[in-house]
Amino acid sequence: MSARIETLIGRRVWDSRGNPTVEAEIHLTDGSLGRAIAPAGASRGSHEAIDLRDGGDAFGGHGVDHAIRTLAEVIAPVIVGLPADDQRLIDKRLIELDGTPQKARLGGNATIATSMAVAHAAAAAAKVPLWSYLSAGSARRLPMPMVQLFGGGAHASGRIDLQDILIVPMKAKSFEQATEIVAEVYRAGGALMADRGLLRGVADEGGWWPEFSSNEEALEQTVRSIERARMRPGEDVAIAIDVAASQLACEGRYRLATDGIELTSDEFVDRLIGWCRRYPIISVEDPVGESDHAGMRAFTRAVSESVQVIGDDYLVTSARRIAEAARAEACNAVLLKPNQVGTLTETYEALQAARQARWHTVISARSGETEDVTIVHLAVGWCADQLKVGSFSRSERMAKWNEAIRVEQTLGSRARFAGRVAIGGSRTVIAAQ
Ligand code: PGA
Ligand code: ZN
């Protein structure tokens, strides 16, 4: 007989920005325990699950006392007694109990912490790691990491407009080797900044603080960092960017404050296409704002053969939005952030919708993170193509890379690495099949 949920406890813990966040802890009738912590975004899509915060003066309004009470008083009475291995049923109860399109009643932070804690408890009861539990023992593929080198946008007080300049270790043959390559380029990037007198520490996700005078300089310096690490840009290590363009959009135009210009959607798309031609860019996330459907289609149409176009704010981990975007040929890949939608079941449905569209899938952390490593288990257990958790410093990021190394070692000779075919435009999707 499956173990049932005996208690659900809510606890306030603190995230990587020093803000309060929700931890859920679940105890089962057989003594098993599952625990998970909700992350928090800073550049959020407007259709995401609502992060319930207390408001007021304390902790800049980020308090989660209300969400913690919701766990104990509203959620616990509904899920106590349910079998922990029926994730679908439990998530369905959470969705029904909330009853709003964006988890406005319970709060996405309360529901995702609960939903992930349930999965951890069920895996503990089954006495297997979560990644193995999620795949009924069949998982063996490690995702391609996409790692931030320079952090910008909302994660670096808008120092440059582009939010993430990332590197992808294309030549890696294993996850462990991928981290070695990333470590060398990350180190080279820091040394380059130091030599030029531009080293100012790191941004929210651990990438170097981008003390650049233009957005394009960040791309140039990424190429230089790869070369300085004695690797070939494009061939050994490719570039990915997250424009997070909703942050730049204003009344149909795009304001690039670092470059001192304002562009129409067409002009902005042209500029991005130009960057894709001049730099070894393999992936572009949220190239235009979340409601600029025409811009998204135009950009995807122009580059989709060779470049991966990811929807983050544009798709908000919604199966429905993914299916719509696939029909419209806007995007060819999806960023999956469990707290954007609020339950694991809905995150999995989004992943399935992307697979149906033959898109690449990227499991992602948020800029506000903790030691919680659930997303690594999701990426392996669900066989996602890529994993994005920020940069290669700060322990809330390293905890995730290190967990993937552990999984790879546990798998031993059964481990497979997603490799270069797991990222890129539609040409790579076809080649991988
Ligand atoms: P976040 O953004 O600050 O909302 O987590 C990260 C991203 O855009 O990928
Ligand atoms: Zn993004």
Side-chain angles (χ1 to χ4, degrees):
M1 210 186 99
S2 18
R4 292 177 178 269
I5 297 175
E6 198 166 68
T7 50
L8 164 65
I9 299 165
R11 178 180 297 125
R12 184 187 66 190
V13 294
W14 305 91
D15 76 11
S16 55
R17 281 191 274 251
N19 287 330
T21 188
V22 179
E23 178 169 89
E25 185 173 301
I26 284 178
H27 295 260
L28 304 185
T29 45
D30 70 347
S32 303
L33 176 148
R35 192 187 276 150
I37 310 176
S43 85
R44 304 165 48 80
S46 56
H47 302 285
E48 289 191 22
I50 310 265
D51 218 7
L52 261 199
R53 301 283 174 173
D54 297 336
D57 290 339
F59 315 124
H62 293 291
V64 291
D65 293 353
H66 181 70
I68 302 291
R69 272 200 306 278
T70 299
L71 241 63
E73 293 166 16
V74 186
I75 297 180
V78 171
I79 68 164
V80 164
L82 296 180
D85 60 3
D86 198 341
Q87 183 83 38
R88 265 188 172 279
L89 172 71
I90 294 165
D91 287 344
K92 188 164 169 272
R93 291 283 161 83
L94 291 174
I95 294 162
E96 286 166 357
L97 182 62
D98 178 78
T100 74
Q102 287 179 261
K103 309 282 186 298
R105 179 170 172 234
L106 301 178
N109 41 354
T111 62
I112 196 60
T114 305
S115 183
M116 296 195 302
V118 168
H120 279 286
K127 299 192 171 44
V128 291
L130 180 55
W131 58 268
S132 176
Y133 171 78
L134 290 169
S135 66
S138 69
R140 56 184 195 149
R141 193 171 80 137
L142 275 295
M144 173 63 102
M146 197 192 272
V147 188
Q148 191 191 64
L149 181 64
F150 299 111
H155 306 155
S157 307
R159 185 62 190 75
I160 57 169
D161 303 291
L162 294 175
Q163 183 179 278
D164 298 321
I165 317 282
L166 308 107
I167 49 172
V168 183
M170 302 296 281
K171 73 165 176 179
K173 297 285 182 252
S174 67
F175 193 90
E176 187 177 28
Q177 199 183 35
T179 59
E180 289 169 6
I181 295 167
V182 166
E184 296 292 7
V185 179
Y186 184 75
R187 178 182 299 269
L192 199 64
M193 303 288 275
D195 285 357
R196 299 178 66 215
L198 301 178
L199 195 61
R200 305 276 184 273
V202 300
D204 273 13
E205 295 190 4
W208 301 112
W209 186 269
E211 198 72 10
F212 299 128
S213 46
S214 72
N215 288 292
E216 196 161 347
E217 192 187 352
L219 296 171
E220 280 162 16
Q221 292 306 306
T222 302
V223 171
R224 296 286 93 79
S225 305
I226 296 168
E227 287 169 344
R228 189 173 172 135
R230 296 200 179 79
M231 293 181 221
R232 292 167 299 172
E235 196 47 40
D236 297 337
V237 179
I239 299 178
I241 59 175
D242 180 3
V243 183
S246 299
Q247 302 278 328
L248 314 175
C250 184
E251 291 170 6
R253 295 172 76 82
Y254 293 89
R255 210 173 94 75
L256 296 177
T258 322
D259 301 337
I261 46 167
E262 212 180 274
L263 304 172
T264 64
S265 175
D266 286 349
E267 289 165 344
F268 189 50
V269 164
D270 280 346
R271 177 161 296 227
L272 292 173
I273 294 169
W275 285 342
C276 289
R277 294 213 175 104
R278 289 201 302 285
Y279 298 92
I281 293 175
I282 196 161
S283 176
V284 179
E285 181 176 328
D286 282 344
V288 295
E290 61 183 8
S291 32
D292 187 353
H293 303 291
M296 192 63 90
R297 281 195 301 273
F299 181 70
T300 303
R301 203 176 314 121
V303 303
S304 72
E305 269 209 3
S306 53
V307 176
Q308 169 173 279
V309 184
I310 306 178
D312 169 12
D313 294 353
Y314 188 67
L315 300 170
V316 291
T317 315
S318 150
R320 183 180 60 77
R321 281 173 189 273
I322 292 164
E324 278 169 13
R327 275 195 297 278
E329 293 181 31
C331 308
N332 60 21
V334 64
L335 204 75
L336 299 163
K337 292 168 164 170
N339 80 326
Q340 255 179 351
V341 66
T343 64
L344 283 190
T345 300
E346 289 163 286
T347 309
Y348 187 68
E349 285 166 359
L351 177 105
Q352 293 293 62
R355 278 213 178 113
Q356 217 156 42
R358 300 165 87 197
W359 282 8
H360 282 313
T361 53
V362 190
I363 301 268
S364 171
R366 303 303 306 243
S367 53
E369 271 294 335
T370 65
E371 65 275 25
D372 187 289
V373 294
T374 309
I375 56 164
V376 177
H377 292 256
L378 301 182
V380 177
W382 291 347
C383 201
D385 296 304
Q386 298 149 48
L387 178 64
K388 181 186 182 217
V389 307
S391 193
F392 210 69
S393 75
R394 300 182 51 140
S395 286
E396 78 278 5
R397 314 288 149 190
M398 303 318 289
K400 282 130 180 115
W401 304 133
N402 291 342
E403 184 75 351
I405 288 172
R406 280 181 208 109
V407 175
E408 187 171 61
Q409 197 179 52
T410 305
L411 279 163
S413 61
R414 288 182 297 140
R416 295 288 173 273
F417 179 56
R420 63 195 312 146
V421 294
I423 183 165
S426 51
R427 246 187 267 145
T428 55
V429 179
I430 292 159
Q433 276 159 3

